[in-house]
Amino acid sequence: MFLIAIVFPWYYEYNKLQQQTTSVQFFYLITRAPCDSGLCFQNSEYEFWDFDSSTKMERFVFGISLFFVILALGVAIKVATFISTFGSYMSALFSLISFLTFFCITPAIRYEALQCTEGPCNNFGGSTDNRAWGPSVGFYACAAGFLFMLVASIVDFTLNTEDDELLDDDLLPTKISLSSSPSINSKSEQKLAVDEQTRLLFLDASRGGIKPPTGIKGQNAVL
C-alpha cells in the first residue's frame, strides 16, 4: 500500500466543461482529456511539476506527506523481514502523520490563490457545476496502509502478551519451589536459580525445534 502511495497521485481536479482531469503527485502532473478524434480513448500528458515560488506551500505539504510515507514503507519492510512490534507501531505512526498532514493542502492552496471563491481552496474535496476535486489513489493507499499496520500492531501485541502470560505460568511452580527451598536462602541465589531454569527452558525449546517464548528477563535469558 505504501509503495502505491509513493507512486500514484494524491490529489486531482476535474474540469467538467473540458472533461479534463489533472492529477498531482510531488514530482509530476498528469493531465487526461478526451481525444480530438475517435482513434484513441483518452489523451494523457505527463510532466514534471516545476518547482517555483507560486506553489511552494503546496509542494511543502506534498513533500512532508511523501517523506513520512517513505519512512512508513521502510519500517514496514523491516517489520516484514525482522518481526518487530515496535516497528509496526512506528510504521503506523509515520503513515498516520503522512495522512493527516495532507489535509493541510486546502489552506496551502488558499494561501497561494490570487482569489478564492470555491474549490480546493475552500474544501478538501467537493464538486460544483463546473468542476470536481479531492484526494486521489495515493492518499487512500496511505490510509489503507495505516489501517493495515495498526491491525498488525494490535495482533502482534496481543500474541506477545499471551506468550508472556504462558511463560509466567510455566515458571510459577519453579519460583514457588525455589522460594520454599531451605538450601536457597538469599534473593540473589533465588534469582540465579530462576535464570538457570530459564536457560534450560530455552535449551529444551531449541532442541525440540520450538521457538522459545519471548519476553524473558534475566541474566541467562539470551543464549
Side-chain angles (χ1 to χ4, degrees), residues 19-39:
Q19 296 183 346
Q20 177 175 296
T21 303
T22 301
S23 301
V24 187
Q25 173 56 289
F26 179 76
F27 296 107
Y28 63 85
L29 301 172
I30 302 177
T31 302
R32 296 184 177 90
C35 294
D36 296 332
S37 64
L39 300 179

Side-chain angles (χ1 to χ4, degrees), residues 147-215:
L147 294 176
F148 178 82
M149 295 309 301
L150 180 62
V151 172
S153 302
I154 295 174
V155 171
D156 194 29
F157 176 79
T158 303
L159 293 177
N160 285 338
T161 302
E162 291 177 354
D163 288 343
D164 292 341
E165 291 176 352
L166 291 174
L167 183 61
D168 290 340
D169 292 340
D170 291 339
L171 290 179
L172 183 59
T174 303
K175 293 179 180 179
I176 294 175
S177 62
L178 289 172
S179 62
S180 60
S181 175
S183 61
I184 301 178
N185 298 321
S186 65
K187 291 183 177 180
S188 61
E189 291 176 346
Q190 292 181 15
K191 183 176 185 302
L192 289 175
V194 171
D195 289 341
E196 178 63 19
Q197 291 294 329
T198 302
R199 188 179 71 83
L200 292 176
L201 284 175
F202 270 83
L203 285 174
D204 292 340
S206 61
R207 289 170 182 171
I210 303 172
K211 181 181 178 183
T214 58

Side-chain angles (χ1 to χ4, degrees), residues 133-150:
W133 65 94
S136 191
V137 177
F139 176 81
Y140 294 114
C142 178
F146 162 70
L147 294 176
F148 178 82
M149 295 309 301
L150 180 62

Side-chain angles (χ1 to χ4, degrees), residues 1 4-5 7-12 23 134-144:
M1 290 297 178
I4 294 176
V7 175
F8 283 81
W10 279 55
Y11 207 73
Y12 82 95
S23 301
S136 191
V137 177
F139 176 81
Y140 294 114
C142 178

Side-chain angles (χ1 to χ4, degrees), residues 12-151:
Y12 82 95
E13 185 172 355
Y14 175 63
N15 188 316
K16 296 181 179 179
L17 298 179
Q18 300 178 357
Q19 296 183 346
Q20 177 175 296
T21 303
T22 301
S23 301
V24 187
Q25 173 56 289
F26 179 76
F27 296 107
Y28 63 85
L29 301 172
I30 302 177
T31 302
R32 296 184 177 90
C35 294
D36 296 332
S37 64
L39 300 179
C40 65
F41 174 72
Q42 195 175 55
N43 184 23
S44 299
E45 294 182 2
Y46 296 82
E47 59 180 325
F48 285 103
W49 189 5
D50 295 331
F51 289 86
D52 57 63
S53 58
S54 64
T55 57
K56 61 181 180 180
M57 293 303 297
E58 296 178 46
R59 296 301 289 270
F60 179 75
V61 174
F62 272 94
I64 294 296
S65 295
L66 181 63
F67 172 75
F68 278 103
V69 81
I70 291 175
L71 287 180
L73 175 62
V75 177
I77 293 174
K78 182 178 180 180
V79 170
T81 307
F82 310 99
I83 304 302
S84 170
T85 304
F86 179 75
S88 300
Y89 296 153
M90 294 306 298
S91 182
L93 177 61
F94 289 147
S95 57
L96 178 62
I97 294 174
S98 176
F99 176 78
L100 295 178
T101 299
F102 196 70
F103 284 98
C104 296
I105 193 65
T106 300
I109 295 174
R110 184 187 306 120
Y111 176 82
E112 294 169 342
L114 297 177
Q115 61 179 15
C116 178
T117 55
E118 60 181 1
C121 60
N122 283 329
N123 298 294
F124 184 68
S127 177
T128 65
D129 294 336
N130 298 328
R131 59 177 176 168
W133 65 94
S136 191
V137 177
F139 176 81
Y140 294 114
C142 178
F146 162 70
L147 294 176
F148 178 82
M149 295 309 301
L150 180 62
V151 172

